[in-house]
Each structure stands twice: as structure tokens, then as C-alpha cells.
Amino acid sequence: MSPKLSPEAGPGEPGVELFTRRSDFEDALARFAGPGRRAVVMTMGALHEGHASLIRAARARVGAEGLVTVTVFVNPLQFGAGEDLDRYPRTLDADLEVAAAAGADIVFAPPVEEVYAGGEPRVRMAAGPMGERYEGASRPGHFDGMLTVVAKLLHLTRPDLAFFGEKDAQQLALIRRMVLDLDFPVEIVGVPTVREDDGLALSSRNRYLSARERSTALALSRALSEGREAGRQAAAQAPHSLSSPGSLSSPPGPEAPDARDGSGGLAGPARVASPRTVRAAARAVLDAAALLEPPLVLDYVALVDPSDFTEVADDHTGEAVLAIAAKVGDTRLIDNVRLWFGVA
């Protein structure tokens, strides 16, 4: 058992303690004996290398003396009409192994009745207009449910830092907005997207792709790469600085670098220029993929300000996110890359 917790903690895989009851989990937090900080990684289970990268990043930030909690909870409030909650994979035994290997101390995996003891909550978080665009338009109510459970789990886990993947860019932006606007005492840390060897962003949904569908799906990461490269070339050809007064002179690096992030060269924001050029290059790849068999069916491609997820203007300077959502066959995929507009 973890030396940071008393022997009263429940059994789990070696090196990680499993709790399913809220009262037991809260007791374990109270018994935490370490002088370090607390970190949380929130998941819906079915853990893969992407989740492991979040846990490793959390462990690196809090150090050996800190406490890393992984939550595993399939949140019914995030599932809308036509989204089959019952079919969502539950793989707790395998999840415990992944969490332990990546460096977690605690896994909190409560049933629905432990999280929503009185049934579905009558008062919920509202994502507002920022949550009604893009992913929110495709999945109405999804972000309200997501923010509600994130807020609840932040209260329950009481972390100093919470780690989320950059792959879910709009989710990350909304969580940051909620924490800022409502004064949650926690630092939100984004972790670069993990990619498979062919560049496809790692997702539990990838398992549903046939070989031909996967070939088409690679257009998402290819569109991001082409958009990024076109923006880099535009920046290299710019005759003078495009940075506005007071803007940062260089892009920030990845928040939680990990030598094993498998980012395929898309981790961290690249210095680029010309939103118009970036959009056109990405769209050309996606338009070509729409003619493949099977075709890529585009939901949206957007170049947005991460602070509010509104489309950026052609003279934008500072950070932006190039985000794509599309379906291949019956599988819906999302991907994005961070960019930094303005040249020194």
C-alpha cells in the first residue's frame, strides 16, 4: 500500500489504492501524510496511453512527495440523445494497471449513486455561449454535464493541480474559464495530445475504425500539419513583425512536456502567420478527404481563440487553436493543434 495513506485504505493494484465509496475516499484524503501537493486526473475510464501521459505529467509536477488521484467515472450528464451510455466501455481492472504503472496513488471510481446521491442534480453548471459552439452545437448539453461533474470532482478531490488533455481543446478551454470565473483554487494544466505512429490522435474511438476508415481519418492530423506548415512559411516570409504592442514575443512551450508524449511533432504552439493561409491549407486537405472512399464527413474546421472559442480574425495575434471534427463511417473524431500568430 502507498506509504502516504494509512493501512485502512482499500485494496487495489500494487502501488495504487482503489476507492469506490465517497466516504472512504474522503477519509483517505484526510489521512494523506505527504508534504507535497495534490493532483487529479479526471477520466471516464478505458484508460490508454493518452491518459497515462496525463498521470505521468501529474506525477512529475507534484513529485514523489505529492499525491496523484485518478478519477474513473462515466458521467451520465455528458451523454445526450443517441449516445449510448450503457455501451461505454468499463474496464476498471485494466484501468488500475494503467494508473499504477503511470504513477498514480489513488483511483476513485464511484458508482453513479455515490456522485449523484439524490438523483440527477437539480442545479447544474451552465457552459453558456462558449459551450454552444462547435462541439456544443453537435452535442447539446454535453458541456453543461461535463462542467457539473468537473466542478463536483474538484470539490471532492481538493487538488492543487488538475490535468486535462489538449486533444479536447474546447473542454479544456471551458474548464479554464469556469475555474477563472468562479474562483476555484486550482491550477489547470493542459497536456499535449498523444498520437499513434501514423499521426492519428490517440482515442478509445480509434478501435472502431476499419483499415480503410483509418486511412481516411489520417486527413485530420494531416490537415493540422499542412495548416501549421503553411502558417510557418507565411511567418518566414513576413517582412516585419506582426506582433501587436504588449503581446508576447514568443509562443509558450508545452505546459507539461513528456518525452514519451508521442505528439508526432504537433505538441506545443508553433509560431505562424496569416490565419487566412492556415485555414485554406487545412481546408484543402479536408476537401480532398471528402472524395475518398470511405469519405471524411466534415463537421467543422475552425481557427479559434482559446479564451472564448470564437473564430479569430485575419489580423489575429497571439495564441489560437486550429480545431477539426469529422466522421469517418460511424466514428466521430476530433483533433487540434495550438498555433501562435505573430513573428519577431
Side-chain angles (χ1 to χ4, degrees), residues 25-33 38 158:
F25 172 69
E26 291 173 338
D27 287 346
L29 288 184
R31 294 193 299 269
F32 170 52
R38 296 174 176 174
R158 303 193 295 275

Side-chain angles (χ1 to χ4, degrees), residues 14-231:
V16 67
E17 306 296 342
L18 170 64
F19 298 92
T20 59
R21 292 174 52 186
R22 174 172 168 171
S23 59
D24 292 339
F25 172 69
E26 291 173 338
D27 287 346
L29 288 184
R31 294 193 299 269
F32 170 52
R37 295 185 294 173
R38 296 174 176 174
V40 66
V41 175
M42 299 181 191
T43 82
M44 292 210 300
L47 302 190
H48 51 61
E49 177 57 26
H51 300 105
S53 74
L54 298 176
I55 300 168
R56 288 195 297 265
R59 172 54 65 203
R61 280 291 300 271
V62 303
E65 299 301 319
L67 187 75
V68 176
T69 297
V70 175
T71 65
V72 175
F73 179 63
V74 181
N75 178 31
L77 302 189
Q78 292 177 226
F79 288 77
E83 297 180 337
D84 195 342
L85 171 64
D86 293 334
R87 290 185 59 194
Y88 195 88
R90 273 85 165 173
T91 58
L92 183 57
D93 288 344
D95 294 343
L96 291 170
E97 294 179 2
V98 173
D105 297 301
I106 294 177
V107 171
F108 179 43
V112 172
E113 57 269 21
E114 285 285 323
V115 177
Y116 302 122
E120 289 196 3
R122 298 181 183 182
V123 176
R124 308 185 187 192
M125 303 298 295
M130 187 175 169
E132 296 170 358
R133 308 176 185 116
Y134 305 113
E135 288 301 295
S138 298
R139 306 177 67 188
H142 167 73
F143 285 130
D144 292 353
M146 178 276 295
L147 289 178
T148 298
V149 80
V150 168
K152 198 171 183 72
L153 290 173
L154 286 175
H155 287 310
L156 288 173
T157 59
R158 303 193 295 275
D160 300 296
L161 307 103
F163 291 74
F164 296 90
E166 291 179 356
K167 175 176 172 289
D168 295 296
Q170 192 170 3
Q171 170 180 281
L172 176 58
L174 280 162
I175 292 169
R176 283 183 164 145
R177 193 78 245 176
M178 177 184 73
V179 165
L180 176 66
D181 289 350
L182 301 183
D183 298 312
F184 280 71
V186 61
E187 178 185 347
I188 302 301
V189 183
V191 178
T193 301
V194 174
R195 298 183 179 277
E196 301 196 41
D197 291 342
D198 57 9
L200 192 66
L202 197 59
S203 169
S204 58
R205 296 178 181 178
N206 293 353
R207 72 184 75 177
Y208 302 124
L209 295 169
S210 68
R212 294 180 68 186
E213 288 172 342
R214 186 184 182 94
S215 179
T216 296
L218 293 176
L220 274 75
S221 57
R222 193 161 58 247
L224 297 177
S225 294
E226 290 293 329
R228 180 175 176 148
E229 183 57 29

Side-chain angles (χ1 to χ4, degrees), residues 261-276:
D261 69 12
S263 61
L266 288 174
R271 187 195 301 279
V272 298
S274 181
R276 186 190 301 272

